[in-house]
Amino acid sequence: MLFCLNSFYQRILAPLWASTTPPEVLGSKIPIRYGKTIVFDAKRNAAVNKMGSNFMQLCQRFQIQQMMLEAQRTSDLIWKINSAP
């Protein structure tokens, strides 16, 4: 399960979550449109932030530390698992 959650965090959640911190004007006051279906605006940012917070709460319930989610390679994750207190 840890490897699946790590993969979801690395591939999907982290990039989306990083995009919720827009510059001062673009994305917060002026929406950014990407293609026909994706709009980066305050509403989208709030939804992604909620998803990220819920995901982190789920991981906390399973006692999965954030450093485990941030391991970018399988070997790094295995090393962190074996060296965790």
Side-chain angles (χ1 to χ4, degrees), residues 20 42-52:
T20 65
K43 183 179 175 182
R44 179 201 168 274
N45 290 350
V48 172
N49 280 327
K50 184 175 180 180
M51 177 181 63

Side-chain angles (χ1 to χ4, degrees), residues 46-62:
V48 172
N49 280 327
K50 184 175 180 180
M51 177 181 63
S53 295
N54 288 341
F55 177 82
M56 295 308 285
Q57 288 173 3
L58 173 76
C59 290
Q60 286 176 352
R61 248 185 278 153
F62 288 110

Side-chain angles (χ1 to χ4, degrees), residues 17-33:
W17 214 352
S19 73
T20 65
T21 308
E24 292 294 318
V25 177
L26 288 176
S28 60
K29 297 177 185 168
I30 301 173
I32 300 170
R33 299 196 182 279

